[in-house]
Amino acid sequence: MNIEHQFQIEKGLFMAFVDTHRAGEMAYHVDKDKIVVDHTMVKSKYRNNGVGTHLFLQGLIVYLKNNNLKVVSHCSFVNEMFLKYPEYSPYIALE
């Protein structure tokens, strides 16, 4: 699985690819010094195969670490991931 990142004028997208097929995405926008995750979507044929977890760990968390950022989540999946991986809770921003 490969994670790619696109960013254009205050909006970003982490995309997960299985082989050459886009399996899922996590969309966000920038709000001052933090990012706000709006949604995570995984195509039905790729669900329950770790695509969302890869988007969270190899996309979002790596990006936050590398750019010294925090996140606000409006996405139930990301909220669940922070509960599952509490070691990343320092990256959660207050709204």
Side-chain angles (χ1 to χ4, degrees), residues 40-72:
T40 303
M41 185 280 305
V42 174
K43 290 183 179 178
S44 58
K45 81 182 245 180
Y46 297 105
R47 289 190 184 144
N48 300 313
N49 289 307
V51 173
T53 302
H54 273 56
L55 285 165
F56 178 77
L57 294 173
Q58 275 76 48
L60 178 64
I61 296 299
V62 168
Y63 186 75
L64 295 173
K65 285 181 181 180
N66 291 344
N67 293 281
N68 197 29
L69 292 170
K70 294 200 178 223
V71 64
V72 172

Side-chain angles (χ1 to χ4, degrees), residues 4-16:
E4 294 183 15
H5 181 227
Q6 282 183 344
F7 182 79
Q8 296 179 349
I9 310 171
E10 298 185 358
K11 290 185 178 182
L13 191 66
F14 298 104
M15 298 167 290

